[in-house]
Structures are given as C-alpha cells and as structure tokens.
Amino acid sequence: MTMPELGGERLVPPRVILTDGVYETVKTLIMDGRIPPSSRVNMDQLARALQVSATPLREALARLESEGLVSKEPLRGYSTTPLLSRSEFEDLYELRLLVEPALAAAAAGRINAADRRELAEEMARCPDAPAERGDYRTYRELYEHDVRWHDLVARIAGNEVARQAMRRLHAHLHAFRLHGGNRSGDRTRAEHAQVVDALLRGDQHAAAAAMRSHLCTARHRTPGFAD
C-alpha cells in the first residue's frame, strides 16, 4: 500500500519547537489513519505539506520508530506498522498480564513520598473522557495520561528493562483502540485510581490484583476483540 495524497493542504506543525511539532503532526496523521497502516511514508510529500526540510522529518520518524508506529527498511525508507491482528492482540495482553501486575507489586514495595506525590499529580492530570467518536487530537490527552501512568508505575518498580519493553507496547495498542473507537476514559480513570490506592497503602498483593483487573477489563472492552 502507498500513502494517499494529502490534498495539497498545508499541515503546519502546531509547536514552536520544530522537531516536536513535526513529530506530533506526523503522529496525528498515523493515529487518525490518514497515513494508513502498512503504508510507505512519502517523505517528499510530507516535507512539502509540513513546509519543513528533511532533517526534522527524519528525526520525527526516528522517534515514531522507537514507539513502534513506523519501521524502516533498507533502500525503502519508512512505512507505518500494521494494526494488531487478533492473535497479536491476545499475545500482547498475555505479556502485559505477566509483567505489569508484578511491576505494580514491586512499586507498592518500593514507593516513597516523592513517588506518592507524582502519582497524585498524574491522577489529577487525567482528563475527562473524550467523545465516543473523535480524532486523535480529542483522544490525545487520555492516551498520553495512560502512557505516563503505566510508565510511572514501572519506574517506581525500579525495573528499567521491563519499563522500556512496556513503552513500546502502548503505541500499537492505542493505535488499534483509536481505529476501533474505544475511549473508555471514565473507566480507565477509575481503574487507575484503584491501583494507585493500593500503591499508596504499600499493599503489594492488592496492587497486583488491581492492575490485573484493569488489564483484563481493558482487554475485554476493546471493540472487535472482546469474547
């Protein structure tokens, strides 16, 4: 599949810092499906649409590659990665169910006063649930909270290898969720709060159980993959 024409429109990056603006703009195009899954990224067309040189675009694509949203092939350049198949989706959750409850338990055993403040601040930043249907810009704040929150739990747990592995999983999962129309923001916030309550109490068993419950309910409410 090749990347479709973008209609000659000018997609000016929204941020003052050029590289960050290019990154956010290209990510939005991918998450909204305007650059479809499994499509070659036409760098010349993107550079013209964004009115930038190739350098910030390459830097943005390198960041997106680290998130698993694009991949680079020798002599072919960048392509968007495919959406998850059912079997890949199930495998992803099996991995998360093995790793993330253990991380929550470890975090409950290691948490300190600074970590408690950071968790409280992150929960306060959790946005209201966006509209049931919308583009990536409406979903972005919830997406970014979810990524930050899971990353924070892994950071508190002190397992940097697991933390880096989990970071790569969220972009694929949320890209699929966006295309499937699943927002579930209110439930996500409530489930995160249950995990945080156990973490703040230092209850390792309850933290692991709450994380497992959160992952299981998220797994079964994802459109197209629920049993």
Side-chain angles (χ1 to χ4, degrees):
M1 182 183 292
T2 59
M3 177 177 144
E5 290 292 329
L6 297 176
E9 60 193 293
R10 293 183 176 181
L11 303 167
V12 180
R15 296 190 179 186
V16 173
I17 300 174
L18 181 60
T19 301
D20 286 349
V22 172
Y23 161 78
E24 292 291 353
T25 301
V26 177
K27 185 171 185 176
T28 297
L29 292 170
I30 293 172
M31 294 290 273
D32 284 342
R34 296 185 64 190
I35 306 177
S38 305
S39 297
R40 189 175 70 83
V41 177
N42 187 324
M43 290 189 62
D44 290 338
Q45 182 189 350
L46 269 180
R48 288 194 302 271
L50 273 64
Q51 304 176 68
V52 298
S53 68
T55 299
L57 183 54
R58 288 194 189 97
E59 292 174 0
L61 289 169
R63 288 174 64 180
L64 293 166
E65 183 179 22
S66 73
E67 296 181 359
L69 288 176
V70 301
S71 59
K72 187 177 183 180
E73 298 180 41
L75 305 178
R76 287 183 54 85
Y78 287 97
S79 297
T80 53
T81 51
L83 295 181
L84 297 174
S85 66
R86 176 167 186 132
S87 63
E88 289 169 335
F89 176 86
E90 295 292 347
D91 288 347
L92 180 146
Y93 264 95
E94 286 300 318
L95 176 59
R96 294 186 70 188
L97 284 164
L98 286 171
V99 174
E100 293 198 68
L103 290 175
R110 290 170 50 92
I111 194 168
N112 59 35
D115 297 330
R116 289 183 172 89
R117 287 194 298 272
E118 197 168 352
L119 278 169
E121 289 169 0
E122 184 54 51
M123 289 303 298
R125 294 172 68 186
C126 183
D128 293 332
E132 191 64 23
R133 294 287 175 182
D135 60 14
Y136 173 63
R137 292 184 192 280
T138 64
Y139 181 53
R140 176 180 157 191
E141 288 187 11
L142 180 61
Y143 162 83
E144 290 180 347
H145 159 74
D146 195 45
V147 171
R148 286 192 308 266
W149 185 86
H150 282 274
D151 183 66
L152 178 56
V153 173
R155 200 263 302 156
I156 295 170
N159 189 325
E160 192 61 25
V161 173
R163 182 186 181 190
Q164 294 300 325
M166 292 300 102
R167 279 180 171 181
R168 286 189 61 86
L169 296 179
H170 286 290
H172 276 299
L173 179 59
H174 285 280
F176 172 78
R177 281 177 166 174
L178 183 66
H179 286 277
N182 184 33
R183 300 300 187 270
S184 305
D186 290 335
R187 283 173 286 178
T188 295
R189 178 162 44 192
E191 290 159 15
H192 285 186
Q194 289 178 337
V195 178
V196 169
D197 179 67
L199 292 175
L200 296 179
R201 291 185 282 109
D203 189 331
Q204 293 177 278
H205 177 76
M211 181 66 82
R212 179 174 293 277
S213 176
H214 166 49
L215 294 174
C216 286
T217 54
R219 177 185 194 173
H220 288 290
R221 68 175 170 242
T222 302
F225 289 91
D227 292 333

mmCIF file of all heavy atoms in Angstrom, residues 7 31 37-38 40 45 58-59 62-63 69 97-98 122 146 163-164 171 174 192 200 203 220 223:
data_model
loop_
_atom_site.group_PDB
_atom_site.id
_atom_site.type_symbol
_atom_site.label_atom_id
_atom_site.label_comp_id
_atom_site.label_asym_id
_atom_site.label_seq_id
_atom_site.Cartn_x
_atom_site.Cartn_y
_atom_site.Cartn_z
ATOM 1 N N GLY A 7 -4.084 15.990 -0.361
ATOM 2 C CA GLY A 7 -4.944 17.040 -0.876
ATOM 3 C C GLY A 7 -4.289 18.392 -1.020
ATOM 4 O O GLY A 7 -4.962 19.401 -1.157
ATOM 5 N N MET A 31 -2.127 8.138 13.606
ATOM 6 C CA MET A 31 -3.150 7.679 14.538
ATOM 7 C C MET A 31 -4.556 7.863 13.978
ATOM 8 O O MET A 31 -5.459 7.085 14.277
ATOM 9 C CB MET A 31 -3.013 8.432 15.862
ATOM 10 C CG MET A 31 -1.733 8.131 16.616
ATOM 11 S SD MET A 31 -1.681 6.462 17.306
ATOM 12 C CE MET A 31 -2.489 6.732 18.891
ATOM 13 N N PRO A 37 -2.276 2.215 8.021
ATOM 14 C CA PRO A 37 -1.366 1.157 8.451
ATOM 15 C C PRO A 37 -0.747 0.446 7.244
ATOM 16 O O PRO A 37 -1.367 0.338 6.184
ATOM 17 C CB PRO A 37 -2.278 0.205 9.236
ATOM 18 C CG PRO A 37 -3.432 1.051 9.659
ATOM 19 C CD PRO A 37 -3.634 2.051 8.563
ATOM 20 N N SER A 38 0.485 0.003 7.401
ATOM 21 C CA SER A 38 1.211 -0.755 6.363
ATOM 22 C C SER A 38 1.423 0.047 5.090
ATOM 23 O O SER A 38 1.465 -0.515 3.996
ATOM 24 C CB SER A 38 0.474 -2.065 6.039
ATOM 25 O OG SER A 38 0.263 -2.832 7.196
ATOM 26 N N ARG A 40 3.774 2.944 2.893
ATOM 27 C CA ARG A 40 5.074 3.595 2.811
ATOM 28 C C ARG A 40 4.893 5.084 3.061
ATOM 29 O O ARG A 40 3.972 5.712 2.547
ATOM 30 C CB ARG A 40 5.711 3.362 1.437
ATOM 31 C CG ARG A 40 7.164 3.834 1.363
ATOM 32 C CD ARG A 40 7.782 3.475 0.021
ATOM 33 N NE ARG A 40 7.212 4.272 -1.060
ATOM 34 C CZ ARG A 40 7.625 5.505 -1.368
ATOM 35 N NH1 ARG A 40 8.600 6.086 -0.669
ATOM 36 N NH2 ARG A 40 7.072 6.161 -2.367
ATOM 37 N N GLN A 45 6.483 14.198 0.038
ATOM 38 C CA GLN A 45 5.145 14.769 0.162
ATOM 39 C C GLN A 45 4.914 15.348 1.558
ATOM 40 O O GLN A 45 4.370 16.443 1.703
ATOM 41 C CB GLN A 45 4.089 13.703 -0.131
ATOM 42 C CG GLN A 45 2.658 14.238 -0.066
ATOM 43 C CD GLN A 45 1.620 13.143 -0.143
ATOM 44 O OE1 GLN A 45 1.952 11.996 -0.434
ATOM 45 N NE2 GLN A 45 0.372 13.493 0.127
ATOM 46 N N ARG A 58 13.022 13.431 9.421
ATOM 47 C CA ARG A 58 13.745 12.190 9.754
ATOM 48 C C ARG A 58 13.823 11.996 11.270
ATOM 49 O O ARG A 58 13.680 10.875 11.774
ATOM 50 C CB ARG A 58 15.147 12.219 9.158
ATOM 51 C CG ARG A 58 15.211 12.066 7.651
ATOM 52 C CD ARG A 58 16.622 11.760 7.187
ATOM 53 N NE ARG A 58 16.732 11.815 5.743
ATOM 54 C CZ ARG A 58 17.165 12.862 5.064
ATOM 55 N NH1 ARG A 58 17.558 13.962 5.721
ATOM 56 N NH2 ARG A 58 17.229 12.852 3.747
ATOM 57 N N GLU A 59 14.060 13.090 11.998
ATOM 58 C CA GLU A 59 14.127 12.991 13.448
ATOM 59 C C GLU A 59 12.777 12.566 14.029
ATOM 60 O O GLU A 59 12.716 11.751 14.958
ATOM 61 C CB GLU A 59 14.560 14.338 14.037
ATOM 62 C CG GLU A 59 15.994 14.709 13.700
ATOM 63 C CD GLU A 59 16.354 16.099 14.174
ATOM 64 O OE1 GLU A 59 15.489 16.774 14.774
ATOM 65 O OE2 GLU A 59 17.513 16.522 13.958
ATOM 66 N N ALA A 62 12.251 8.885 13.344
ATOM 67 C CA ALA A 62 13.062 8.058 14.236
ATOM 68 C C ALA A 62 12.384 7.903 15.597
ATOM 69 O O ALA A 62 12.391 6.815 16.193
ATOM 70 C CB ALA A 62 14.449 8.662 14.390
ATOM 71 N N ARG A 63 11.781 8.978 16.081
ATOM 72 C CA ARG A 63 11.039 8.892 17.346
ATOM 73 C C ARG A 63 9.832 7.980 17.212
ATOM 74 O O ARG A 63 9.545 7.171 18.109
ATOM 75 C CB ARG A 63 10.596 10.287 17.781
ATOM 76 C CG ARG A 63 11.716 11.172 18.272
ATOM 77 C CD ARG A 63 11.247 12.589 18.556
ATOM 78 N NE ARG A 63 10.276 12.672 19.636
ATOM 79 C CZ ARG A 63 9.731 13.809 20.067
ATOM 80 N NH1 ARG A 63 10.066 14.963 19.475
ATOM 81 N NH2 ARG A 63 8.860 13.813 21.063
ATOM 82 N N LEU A 69 5.425 2.850 15.782
ATOM 83 C CA LEU A 69 4.388 3.281 14.845
ATOM 84 C C LEU A 69 4.859 3.267 13.395
ATOM 85 O O LEU A 69 4.037 3.230 12.484
ATOM 86 C CB LEU A 69 3.896 4.680 15.215
ATOM 87 C CG LEU A 69 3.028 4.757 16.473
ATOM 88 C CD1 LEU A 69 2.695 6.200 16.798
ATOM 89 C CD2 LEU A 69 1.758 3.938 16.311
ATOM 90 N N LEU A 97 -0.159 -9.029 31.130
ATOM 91 C CA LEU A 97 -0.676 -9.655 32.347
ATOM 92 C C LEU A 97 0.419 -10.387 33.130
ATOM 93 O O LEU A 97 0.320 -10.546 34.348
ATOM 94 C CB LEU A 97 -1.813 -10.616 32.000
ATOM 95 C CG LEU A 97 -3.147 -9.939 31.676
ATOM 96 C CD1 LEU A 97 -4.094 -10.904 30.974
ATOM 97 C CD2 LEU A 97 -3.795 -9.391 32.950
ATOM 98 N N LEU A 98 1.455 -10.807 32.446
ATOM 99 C CA LEU A 98 2.593 -11.412 33.132
ATOM 100 C C LEU A 98 3.468 -10.362 33.807
ATOM 101 O O LEU A 98 3.976 -10.586 34.915
ATOM 102 C CB LEU A 98 3.447 -12.218 32.143
ATOM 103 C CG LEU A 98 2.888 -13.549 31.660
ATOM 104 C CD1 LEU A 98 3.755 -14.103 30.533
ATOM 105 C CD2 LEU A 98 2.832 -14.554 32.818
ATOM 106 N N GLU A 122 -0.224 12.889 38.697
ATOM 107 C CA GLU A 122 -0.619 12.278 37.425
ATOM 108 C C GLU A 122 -2.109 11.979 37.407
ATOM 109 O O GLU A 122 -2.779 12.182 36.387
ATOM 110 C CB GLU A 122 0.184 11.003 37.159
ATOM 111 C CG GLU A 122 -0.105 10.359 35.807
ATOM 112 C CD GLU A 122 0.069 11.329 34.650
ATOM 113 O OE1 GLU A 122 1.133 11.981 34.562
ATOM 114 O OE2 GLU A 122 -0.868 11.459 33.837
ATOM 115 N N ASP A 146 -2.476 7.787 29.944
ATOM 116 C CA ASP A 146 -2.367 6.344 30.117
ATOM 117 C C ASP A 146 -0.921 5.878 29.969
ATOM 118 O O ASP A 146 -0.424 5.069 30.763
ATOM 119 C CB ASP A 146 -3.270 5.637 29.096
ATOM 120 C CG ASP A 146 -3.492 4.176 29.450
ATOM 121 O OD1 ASP A 146 -3.764 3.886 30.630
ATOM 122 O OD2 ASP A 146 -3.369 3.334 28.553
ATOM 123 N N ARG A 163 10.351 -1.609 31.990
ATOM 124 C CA ARG A 163 9.795 -0.296 31.679
ATOM 125 C C ARG A 163 9.950 0.031 30.201
ATOM 126 O O ARG A 163 9.004 0.478 29.544
ATOM 127 C CB ARG A 163 10.480 0.764 32.534
ATOM 128 C CG ARG A 163 9.951 2.171 32.328
ATOM 129 C CD ARG A 163 10.787 3.168 33.119
ATOM 130 N NE ARG A 163 10.304 4.528 32.961
ATOM 131 C CZ ARG A 163 10.957 5.600 33.373
ATOM 132 N NH1 ARG A 163 12.129 5.470 33.985
ATOM 133 N NH2 ARG A 163 10.450 6.804 33.182
ATOM 134 N N GLN A 164 11.116 -0.191 29.645
ATOM 135 C CA GLN A 164 11.348 0.089 28.229
ATOM 136 C C GLN A 164 10.509 -0.820 27.344
ATOM 137 O O GLN A 164 9.984 -0.399 26.303
ATOM 138 C CB GLN A 164 12.838 -0.049 27.901
ATOM 139 C CG GLN A 164 13.730 0.982 28.563
ATOM 140 C CD GLN A 164 13.373 2.403 28.179
ATOM 141 O OE1 GLN A 164 12.960 2.686 27.053
ATOM 142 N NE2 GLN A 164 13.521 3.328 29.126
ATOM 143 N N ALA A 171 1.919 2.235 22.084
ATOM 144 C CA ALA A 171 1.583 2.923 20.838
ATOM 145 C C ALA A 171 0.744 2.037 19.928
ATOM 146 O O ALA A 171 -0.263 2.460 19.368
ATOM 147 C CB ALA A 171 2.849 3.380 20.125
ATOM 148 N N HIS A 174 -2.874 1.605 21.455
ATOM 149 C CA HIS A 174 -3.747 2.758 21.340
ATOM 150 C C HIS A 174 -4.043 3.110 19.890
ATOM 151 O O HIS A 174 -5.105 3.648 19.593
ATOM 152 C CB HIS A 174 -3.145 3.936 22.090
ATOM 153 C CG HIS A 174 -3.287 3.803 23.575
ATOM 154 N ND1 HIS A 174 -4.460 4.097 24.226
ATOM 155 C CD2 HIS A 174 -2.437 3.363 24.528
ATOM 156 C CE1 HIS A 174 -4.322 3.869 25.515
ATOM 157 N NE2 HIS A 174 -3.100 3.423 25.727
ATOM 158 N N HIS A 192 -7.386 3.055 37.222
ATOM 159 C CA HIS A 192 -6.083 3.579 37.645
ATOM 160 C C HIS A 192 -6.136 3.985 39.121
ATOM 161 O O HIS A 192 -5.177 3.750 39.868
ATOM 162 C CB HIS A 192 -5.693 4.780 36.787
ATOM 163 C CG HIS A 192 -5.228 4.420 35.409
ATOM 164 N ND1 HIS A 192 -4.718 5.357 34.532
ATOM 165 C CD2 HIS A 192 -5.191 3.243 34.757
ATOM 166 C CE1 HIS A 192 -4.388 4.763 33.407
ATOM 167 N NE2 HIS A 192 -4.674 3.479 33.512
ATOM 168 N N LEU A 200 -0.429 3.466 47.249
ATOM 169 C CA LEU A 200 -0.258 4.417 48.346
ATOM 170 C C LEU A 200 -0.280 3.722 49.700
ATOM 171 O O LEU A 200 0.360 4.188 50.658
ATOM 172 C CB LEU A 200 -1.353 5.489 48.288
ATOM 173 C CG LEU A 200 -1.337 6.400 47.055
ATOM 174 C CD1 LEU A 200 -2.489 7.394 47.109
ATOM 175 C CD2 LEU A 200 -0.018 7.136 46.934
ATOM 176 N N ASP A 203 0.384 -1.881 49.611
ATOM 177 C CA ASP A 203 -0.183 -3.237 49.610
ATOM 178 C C ASP A 203 0.182 -3.913 48.294
ATOM 179 O O ASP A 203 -0.471 -3.688 47.267
ATOM 180 C CB ASP A 203 -1.697 -3.162 49.786
ATOM 181 C CG ASP A 203 -2.344 -4.520 50.006
ATOM 182 O OD1 ASP A 203 -1.802 -5.529 49.504
ATOM 183 O OD2 ASP A 203 -3.408 -4.562 50.665
ATOM 184 N N HIS A 220 -11.117 -6.822 27.463
ATOM 185 C CA HIS A 220 -12.424 -7.315 27.025
ATOM 186 C C HIS A 220 -13.372 -6.212 26.564
ATOM 187 O O HIS A 220 -14.425 -6.515 26.000
ATOM 188 C CB HIS A 220 -13.072 -8.142 28.139
ATOM 189 C CG HIS A 220 -12.409 -9.463 28.340
ATOM 190 N ND1 HIS A 220 -12.497 -10.494 27.428
ATOM 191 C CD2 HIS A 220 -11.591 -9.914 29.325
ATOM 192 C CE1 HIS A 220 -11.792 -11.535 27.848
ATOM 193 N NE2 HIS A 220 -11.229 -11.204 28.991
ATOM 194 N N PRO A 223 -13.177 -2.987 21.167
ATOM 195 C CA PRO A 223 -14.071 -3.424 20.091
ATOM 196 C C PRO A 223 -13.380 -4.389 19.132
ATOM 197 O O PRO A 223 -12.215 -4.214 18.787
ATOM 198 C CB PRO A 223 -14.410 -2.108 19.373
ATOM 199 C CG PRO A 223 -14.194 -1.049 20.387
ATOM 200 C CD PRO A 223 -13.039 -1.532 21.225
#
